[in-house]
């Protein structure tokens, strides 16, 4: 006959096995694969509304309409964004409560990821007018001028401090996901070593902007308005130029870009995942697959997607 002490010990052991299978709360650390963002290569002509230069240094026979000055809408200035690359540098944390009535579990997770691309500004250093008298019917600046060009890279290569090994134009995203989970299967019964779950929730991301005309205008500010002729325009985008802030043009633009990391973007996600944990041992492993659905564009001026899959795999510690 089993004594009451031995019986109590058996019950206590079973209780420990059940309660420690997943615990009631936990934390995790994970590595992420974010497949939601992408950007096509593009050379984009930009017209700076506050830019107006005189005709000094411009060759060719100009029509009367341009003799008083040439506006930004007629100058061949381009932004280039090419070779978008996911660096696979992506990681985060999560905290969860595992015994919520009806809902089963609630978790808050984070991801911080890095991307990069080749961003640059191509600007004229010499202009010859070839548009003839038919100025009013021309919509492409290169139909008006034969330019000589130079290019200003907007990259991190000019900085001593790196960002996770990035050397090109950076893109960064900090993401928070609040997820409600329901368990689809818990196997085997009682100890529940494997838990398959599904759910969904809301997402909040903070991301840097992509190189655009608006970003350049904000970074260079009154320096654009101070351009009076072609030499001034060349000097504005030259790395030999020092702005009133004491920075070169590329430094000012990159600083403006990095300073906007806290631009918020809202969305939702659908979650499907699995967690495995051996009884008694507090450590476990998990894989979370989330289908991200943004509410609106991830960038106001450039299409970089946002709809897609985020896959996290990590290690958890339960209590």
């Amino acid at each position: 006959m089993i004594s009451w002490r031995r019986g109590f010990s058996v019950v206590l052991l079973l209780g420990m096995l059940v309660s420690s299978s997943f615990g009631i709360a936990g934390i995790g650390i994970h590595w992420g694969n974010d497949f939601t963002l992408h950007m096509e290569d593009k050379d984009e002509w930009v017209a700076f509304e506050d830019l107006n230069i005189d005709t000094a240094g411009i060759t060719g026979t100009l029509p009367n309409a341009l003799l008083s000055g040439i506006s930004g809408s007629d100058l061949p200035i381009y932004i280039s964004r090419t070779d978008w690359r996911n660096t696979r540098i992506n990681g985060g944390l999560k905290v969860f409560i595992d015994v919520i009535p009806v809902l089963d579990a609630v978790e808050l997770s984070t991801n911080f990821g890095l991307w990069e691309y080749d961003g640059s500004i191509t600007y004229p250093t010499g202009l010859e007018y070839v548009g003839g008298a038919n100025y009013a019917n021309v919509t492409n600046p290169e139909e008006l001028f034969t330019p000589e060009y130079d290019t200003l890279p907007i990259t991190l290569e000019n900085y001593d401090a790196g960002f996770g090994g990035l050397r090109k134009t950076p893109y960064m995203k900090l993401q928070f996901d609040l997820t409600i989970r329901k368990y689809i299967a818990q196997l085997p019964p009682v100890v529940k070593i494997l838990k398959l779950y599904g759910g969904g929730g809301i997402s909040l991301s903070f991301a840097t902007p992509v190189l655009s005309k608006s970003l350049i205008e904000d970074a260079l500010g009154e320096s654009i308005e101070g351009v009076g002729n072609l030499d001034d325009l060349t000097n504005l985008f030259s790395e030999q130029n020092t702005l009133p802030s004491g920075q070169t043009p590329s430094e000012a633009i990159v600083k403006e870009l990095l300073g906007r990391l806290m631009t918020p973007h809202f969305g939702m996600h659908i979650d499907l995942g699995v967690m495995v944990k051996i009884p008694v041992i507090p450590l476990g492993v998990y894989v979370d697959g989330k289908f991200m659905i943004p509410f609106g564009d991830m960038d106001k001026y450039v299409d970089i997607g946002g709809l897609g899959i985020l896959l996290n795999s990590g290690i958890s510690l339960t209590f």
Side-chain angles (χ1 to χ4, degrees):
M1 182 177 181
I2 300 175
S3 68
W4 70 270
R5 291 182 179 179
R6 182 175 296 179
F8 178 77
S9 298
V10 171
V11 173
L12 180 61
L13 177 60
L14 289 175
M16 289 176 61
L17 288 174
V18 172
S19 65
S20 62
S21 293
F22 277 82
I24 63 173
I27 60 174
I29 182 170
H30 50 253
W31 173 69
N33 267 308
D34 191 330
F35 302 103
T36 64
L37 301 179
H38 53 82
M39 182 172 65
E40 295 183 358
D41 293 353
K42 188 169 185 180
D43 292 314
E44 177 184 36
W45 169 57
V46 292
F48 295 107
E49 286 79 5
D50 294 331
L51 180 61
N52 193 79
I53 65 173
D54 60 34
T55 60
I58 299 175
T59 60
T61 302
L62 291 167
N64 291 334
L66 294 181
L67 289 177
S68 59
I70 302 172
S71 68
S73 61
D74 294 320
L75 291 170
I77 303 174
Y78 296 87
I79 295 174
S80 177
R81 299 180 295 264
T82 62
D83 196 24
W84 175 268
R85 186 173 73 89
N86 187 342
T87 67
R88 309 300 179 191
I89 299 173
N90 193 305
L93 303 169
K94 75 173 178 177
V95 295
F96 58 90
I97 300 175
D98 208 26
V99 287
I100 303 296
V102 181
L103 302 178
D104 288 345
V106 174
E107 73 170 38
L108 175 66
S109 65
T110 67
N111 279 80
F112 179 71
L114 302 176
W115 291 256
E116 66 178 353
Y117 58 99
D118 284 313
S120 63
I121 304 171
T122 298
Y123 58 96
T125 59
L127 289 172
E128 179 185 3
Y129 183 78
V130 294
N134 196 25
Y135 163 75
N137 296 326
V138 175
T139 58
N140 185 338
E142 290 192 345
E143 295 180 31
L144 294 177
F145 298 100
T146 298
E148 296 177 4
Y149 285 121
D150 201 353
T151 298
L152 173 67
I154 309 298
T155 68
L156 291 172
E157 290 180 329
N158 295 331
Y159 289 77
D160 294 331
F163 291 82
L166 299 186
R167 303 303 297 166
K168 303 299 182 180
T169 312
Y171 183 87
M172 305 179 184
K173 184 176 72 166
L174 174 62
Q175 177 175 315
F176 296 88
D177 298 321
L178 180 63
T179 307
I180 296 173
R181 300 194 323 229
K182 288 287 289 183
Y183 292 116
I184 300 171
Q186 303 182 71
L187 302 172
V190 183
V191 292
K192 303 175 183 178
I193 293 175
L194 181 147
K195 286 190 176 184
L196 177 66
Y197 52 83
I202 58 174
S203 300
L204 171 63
S205 297
F206 297 96
T208 54
V210 177
L211 182 64
S212 66
K213 182 189 77 167
S214 176
L215 180 73
I216 295 170
E217 288 176 330
D218 289 342
L220 300 185
E222 296 180 356
S223 296
I224 294 178
E225 300 177 23
V227 171
N229 54 48
L230 183 59
D231 287 341
D232 291 340
L233 178 62
T234 299
N235 190 50
L236 174 67
F237 294 115
S238 171
E239 277 297 84
Q240 308 304 316
N241 178 31
T242 300
L243 300 173
S245 63
Q247 301 168 315
T248 66
S250 69
E251 288 173 340
I253 295 171
V254 170
K255 181 180 179 181
E256 181 74 20
L257 188 154
L258 296 176
R260 296 192 187 179
L261 175 60
M262 298 311 289
T263 302
H265 306 276
F266 294 92
M268 61 175 290
H269 61 274
I270 301 170
D271 184 38
L272 182 64
V274 61
M275 182 180 289
V276 177
K277 179 185 172 299
I278 299 173
V280 181
I281 301 174
L283 291 177
V285 296
Y286 62 90
V287 176
D288 284 329
K290 297 176 181 177
F291 187 73
M292 309 303 301
I293 305 171
F295 298 156
D297 297 328
M298 287 299 296
D299 190 277
K300 185 176 180 180
Y301 301 102
V302 181
D303 181 13
I304 59 171
L307 181 72
I309 294 173
L310 170 64
L311 186 64
N312 289 327
S313 54
I315 300 172
S316 62
L317 175 65
T318 55
F319 306 97

